[in-house]
Amino acid sequence: MAAPYKRIFLRWEILRGWVPALIFAAIAITIELFFFNYMVSLGLADKTVSAPVWPFPISIAMVLSLGNAVVLLTLWMSVFENTAYVKAGPDRQVRRALYPIRMIRVAALVLAPFTLVLFLPYILESGWFVSWAASASNTLPSTRGTAVSFYNWAYGIAQTDISTRFIASQLLAALAATVVSGLQLWRVRGTRNLMLLLRKKR
């Protein structure tokens, strides 16, 4: 391969490796920005501090949000690196076909529990969901007591300081994504150990 074409090929390989990570990071940051703006609309005070090495004020809540985006990106890269070619076999065409599918699967595996835990408490408190729960409890009278007890508890949680709720939501969401990613890695390692054991027996 001629030197110019080889250089272009290498640059394309590097770019192709970074593009999925950039797309995932953009999705994670979008989720965090949406949640941040939603919490600000609920009354979250966006406190800022100044740093001597940075000319602009730094938002503490935004730093926490972007930190969670970095955590999600790290989890995605770690899980995908360990699951990309599990049970793919030596066939290159199969590997190429499974590569993007598993990339999307791992992204959903990391983002789904994070987003669910992040937004679920606020969905349960929303007016439309409360109305739906009230109509469902009227349809099924046996669930009315449970629904009332749950919303009494949720109302008490809702009275917590908005900054505390913001931090708790971020930490719990990151913990949920970490646990799900850890379970996936544990399952993959168990599969690999089983495959190695079967090969030894053969």
Side-chain angles (χ1 to χ4, degrees):
M1 185 182 292
Y5 294 103
K6 186 175 182 180
R7 196 176 298 114
I8 293 172
F9 177 76
L10 290 175
R11 288 177 181 176
W12 167 248
E13 287 295 316
I14 295 172
L15 180 63
R16 191 179 68 172
W18 277 101
V19 166
L22 292 175
I23 293 174
F24 182 89
I27 295 172
I29 291 172
T30 301
I31 293 172
E32 284 290 354
L33 289 177
F34 181 81
F35 181 72
F36 175 77
N37 290 328
Y38 174 72
M39 294 300 288
V40 168
S41 69
L42 292 181
L44 175 68
D46 185 16
K47 296 181 180 180
T48 58
V49 295
S50 57
V53 295
W54 186 255
F56 306 104
I58 300 174
S59 168
I60 298 175
M62 185 61 70
V63 168
L64 178 60
S65 298
L66 295 179
N68 258 358
V70 173
V71 170
L72 290 176
L73 179 61
T74 304
L75 290 174
W76 174 71
M77 293 176 69
S78 177
V79 176
F80 178 67
E81 181 182 353
N82 285 275
T83 61
Y85 298 116
V86 175
K87 293 184 179 180
D91 193 340
R92 289 186 178 181
Q93 291 184 352
V94 174
R95 285 172 171 257
R96 288 178 181 176
L98 288 177
Y99 192 85
I101 296 173
R102 289 187 172 176
M103 186 181 294
I104 296 171
R105 176 181 174 274
V106 173
L109 187 73
V110 173
L111 290 175
F114 179 83
T115 308
L116 180 64
V117 174
L118 192 66
F119 287 99
L120 185 61
Y122 308 97
I123 293 173
L124 296 177
E125 294 173 4
S126 61
W128 66 267
F129 191 87
V130 172
S131 300
W132 176 83
S135 62
S137 62
N138 290 331
T139 306
L140 300 171
S142 60
T143 62
R144 187 174 302 168
T146 304
V148 170
S149 300
F150 173 78
Y151 276 104
N152 286 335
W153 172 79
Y155 178 77
I157 297 295
Q159 303 309 307
T160 308
D161 179 66
I162 192 69
S163 300
T164 304
R165 293 171 62 191
F166 176 80
I167 295 172
S169 296
Q170 293 282 5
L171 294 178
L172 290 174
L175 179 62
T178 303
V179 169
V180 172
S181 300
L183 291 174
Q184 178 67 12
L185 288 174
W186 176 78
R187 186 180 71 84
V188 169
R189 286 172 183 170
T191 302
R192 283 178 176 171
N193 293 335
L194 181 61
M195 291 172 64
L196 290 174
L197 183 62
L198 292 174
R199 287 177 183 175
K200 288 180 180 179
K201 287 184 177 181
R202 290 177 183 176

